[in-house]
Amino acid sequence: MATVTECAIFAGGCFWGMEYWMKRLEGVISVEPGYTGGQEENPTYKQVKAHETGHYEAVRVIFDPEKCNYETVCRHFFEIHDPTQEDGQGIDIGPQYRSAIFYADENQKAISEKTIAILEAKGLSIATKLFPASVFWTAEEYHRDYCDLRHIEPECHVYTKRF
């Protein structure tokens, strides 16, 4: 019998760091870097980096809801990047690096809003925006497993316990 999976799409700076940390969450089956939220079809890294398409660098996370639910994945997202930074992430500045959640349904939206409210109640000013999921374009192959293949930790993403 096949495992039932769920999908979540997050943008939180460079997708190399997002992929690196998301893959380390128990219950995550796969993490795919890519682009979403823009108007150009099949954008390239060069186009996105040049701000020609309106896309965010993002990751598509496939997870086993029997091992971790959407709320767990969402909370992890907020612990692996700085959700208070408005203009990018760390030294990566630009619209393609902003923090956003691309929710698949009203349940994901509600959980994302609840999670943001918890962080704001702790005094954080959350810059993360919420958008309905749109087409997710897979990034070029050389972006996949970027940090792991080079045996490096991401520079712009540090795990920070927030919950």
Side-chain angles (χ1 to χ4, degrees), residues 16-29 31 76 80 145 147-149 151-154 159:
W16 299 340
M18 291 294 296
E19 177 193 44
Y20 176 89
W21 285 108
M22 277 292 180
K23 285 172 43 178
R24 282 148 176 80
L25 181 63
E26 185 177 343
V28 168
I29 296 167
V31 183
H76 188 65
I80 63 172
D145 298 315
C147 292
D148 288 325
L149 291 173
H151 308 289
I152 59 173
E153 286 195 12
Y159 180 84

Side-chain angles (χ1 to χ4, degrees), residues 14-159:
C14 174
F15 47 38
W16 299 340
M18 291 294 296
E19 177 193 44
Y20 176 89
W21 285 108
M22 277 292 180
K23 285 172 43 178
R24 282 148 176 80
L25 181 63
E26 185 177 343
V28 168
I29 296 167
S30 68
V31 183
E32 184 176 27
Y35 316 105
T36 195
Q39 57 275 17
E40 185 78 23
E41 287 193 24
N42 202 23
T44 65
Y45 181 68
K46 184 178 177 182
Q47 290 174 313
V48 172
K49 191 170 175 95
H51 310 150
E52 296 174 358
T53 69
H55 286 88
Y56 289 71
E57 284 195 18
V59 290
R60 179 168 45 197
V61 180
I62 306 299
F63 61 97
D64 179 347
E66 300 266 330
K67 295 182 180 174
C68 69
N69 58 23
Y70 179 78
E71 184 171 358
T72 301
V73 177
C74 187
R75 284 180 176 222
H76 188 65
F77 163 71
F78 282 108
E79 293 183 328
I80 63 172
H81 82 296
D82 179 359
T84 67
Q85 188 175 346
E86 293 186 15
D87 58 352
Q89 198 60 206
I91 60 170
D92 288 335
I93 304 301
Q96 76 273 27
Y97 298 123
R98 291 171 295 166
S99 177
I101 296 173
F102 295 86
Y103 57 87
D105 55 32
E106 289 303 311
N107 183 55
Q108 284 189 358
K109 181 181 180 186
I111 291 169
S112 299
E113 290 171 336
K114 175 182 133 188
T115 306
I116 289 170
I118 291 168
L119 292 171
E120 289 177 337
K122 292 181 176 197
L124 295 174
S125 179
I126 301 300
T128 306
K129 303 292 184 220
L130 302 180
F131 302 105
S134 55
V135 176
F136 182 89
W137 302 96
T138 303
E140 297 84 348
E141 184 64 31
Y142 68 91
H143 293 294
R144 198 167 185 82
D145 298 315
Y146 190 88
C147 292
D148 288 325
L149 291 173
R150 287 158 182 78
H151 308 289
I152 59 173
E153 286 195 12
E155 295 177 10
C156 295
H157 294 83
V158 176
Y159 180 84

